[in-house]
Amino acid sequence: MHKKLYFLLISLFSFTFQSFAQSSEGVKDQFAQVGDIKMHYKIYGKGDPIILLHGSLESMEDWDKQVPELSKKYKVITVDSRGHGQTTFTDRKMDYILLSEDISALMVELKIDSAFIVGFGDGGITGLYLSLNHPDKVRRLVAIGANYKVDTTAVYGQILDKVKAWDDDKMYQFIRNHFKGYQNYGQITQFTQRMKTMLLTEPNLTLDDLKKIGCPTLLIAGDHDIIKIDHTNAMFENIPNSYMCIVPGTKHYPQKESALLVNSIILDFINKKFTKLDRF
């Protein structure tokens, strides 16, 4: 019985991976001039737009378990954020307002008035800022493993210590192994220092800021996440039109660790009419 189940799961994963590989064929790399950077993006499928925003030190390729399913019904836009993947990087200070303005400008370039925003980690935080500063552009927000402030009430201290330990050599090796077509090798020191500063000092939203987010919002986290569950719950309690999902048996990457479940939850949230629930 266990062997049959294992074989079924392996077959299902292989089918999903092959489907993604096939769907990627003919999907061209595209670039848009967005302010001071050249942003790399791809478009899959047709329908209402979903923009996928990856996490820190990731790229659009980290959504490989979401694109095949989401693009069956929606137009899915994947992007490499500033300094990541094949998107360029300049000497501007890195912060989440800037990252959110990059996405806003890309939407203008692509003539997208509003979209569903699905973000993980940094991408989820970027989605929070986009929802605050450009509420008309966000139909609904899905924020996975996101935090609204950065201290040990929000993130476990061991994670902050790891970020403090980043250096140019480690960053160079990581980027060489993970980013294809990287454009910014000459700026590794700038990129490392600015990413460290951003991750150790931002975001710095308040509960009052969260109360101003008007779009329907789904907060997803793993039950063993590096973002503390109490922190995710505080976001849930203060974003007026929000749902929360804690995915069992997952850490900081529930969209990878439990992709089939998380995909179905995202689609359910996007597809259905949003209903604000009363607790009592």
Side-chain angles (χ1 to χ4, degrees):
M1 179 65 182
H2 291 297
K3 288 183 178 180
K4 289 182 179 179
L5 180 59
Y6 177 77
F7 178 77
L8 177 62
L9 290 173
I10 291 296
S11 298
L12 182 60
F13 176 80
S14 299
F15 176 77
T16 301
F17 180 81
Q18 290 169 5
S19 297
F20 177 72
Q22 291 168 1
S23 69
S24 297
E25 293 178 3
V27 176
K28 63 180 181 179
D29 294 291
Q30 299 189 65
F31 295 86
Q33 190 65 41
V34 175
D36 59 327
I37 61 171
K38 185 171 68 172
M39 179 167 278
H40 177 222
Y41 69 95
K42 287 185 178 182
I43 298 177
Y44 302 82
K46 296 179 180 179
D48 290 335
I50 297 177
I51 300 177
L52 300 180
L53 306 178
H54 62 75
S56 174
L57 299 187
E58 293 191 345
S59 72
M60 63 171 64
E61 295 183 2
D62 283 88
W63 292 110
D64 62 341
K65 293 185 178 180
Q66 279 65 57
V67 171
E69 192 63 28
L70 299 183
S71 62
K72 289 178 182 178
K73 184 178 178 181
Y74 294 94
K75 178 167 70 174
V76 176
I77 300 103
T78 60
V79 304
D80 286 338
S81 68
R82 178 178 291 259
H84 293 68
Q86 296 184 49
T87 293
T88 59
F89 175 75
T90 70
D91 60 358
R92 291 184 68 179
K93 174 180 178 288
M94 288 277 281
D95 58 39
Y96 291 109
I97 291 178
L98 178 59
L99 296 183
S100 66
E101 291 302 322
D102 289 342
I103 301 305
S104 176
L106 178 66
M107 292 175 70
V108 172
E109 182 72 19
L110 299 182
K111 296 181 171 57
I112 297 173
D113 294 329
S114 64
F116 299 108
I117 303 296
V118 179
F120 163 70
D122 276 11
I125 299 168
T126 299
L128 293 173
Y129 278 87
L130 190 65
S131 300
L132 275 170
N133 298 325
H134 298 281
D136 55 318
K137 291 189 173 182
V138 183
R139 299 185 190 183
R140 297 189 185 187
L141 170 65
V142 179
I144 306 169
N147 51 300
Y148 74 90
K149 63 178 179 177
V150 57
D151 59 27
T152 52
T153 69
V155 183
Y156 288 94
Q158 297 95 314
I159 301 303
L160 300 178
D161 290 340
K162 286 183 179 180
V163 175
K164 291 175 185 177
W166 285 1
D167 61 36
D168 295 349
D169 290 338
K170 290 179 183 177
M171 188 69 75
Y172 176 82
Q173 293 299 328
F174 180 89
I175 287 172
R176 190 178 69 174
N177 293 333
H178 289 82
F179 291 167
K180 297 177 181 177
Y182 193 61
Q183 304 289 310
N184 310 289
Y185 281 115
Q187 298 165 296
I188 288 291
T189 298
Q190 287 180 316
F191 182 68
T192 302
Q193 294 305 317
R194 289 190 179 145
M195 283 296 296
K196 282 178 69 171
T197 298
M198 184 179 77
L199 292 172
L200 293 172
T201 61
E202 295 194 17
N204 44 35
L205 296 171
T206 66
L207 294 179
D208 285 339
D209 290 327
L210 297 183
K211 290 172 183 175
K212 297 174 185 175
I213 295 176
C215 67
T217 300
L218 171 62
L219 303 165
I220 299 177
D223 59 357
H224 288 71
D225 211 303
I226 63 173
I227 307 299
K228 295 183 177 180
I229 291 180
D230 285 348
H231 184 79
T232 302
N233 186 65
M235 296 172 68
F236 166 65
E237 293 287 356
N238 285 277
I239 297 176
N241 300 310
S242 63
Y243 293 161
M244 179 173 65
C245 174
I246 303 299
V247 183
T250 63
K251 297 195 276 189
H252 189 48
Y253 296 88
Q255 77 280 11
K256 296 181 180 182
E257 299 165 54
S258 191
L260 294 177
L261 175 60
V262 171
N263 290 348
S264 66
I265 290 169
I266 292 172
L267 286 169
D268 184 72
F269 175 69
I270 290 174
N271 289 334
K272 286 185 178 179
K273 179 181 178 181
F274 180 80
T275 302
K276 185 175 174 61
L277 300 176
D278 293 325
R279 194 177 297 276
F280 304 106

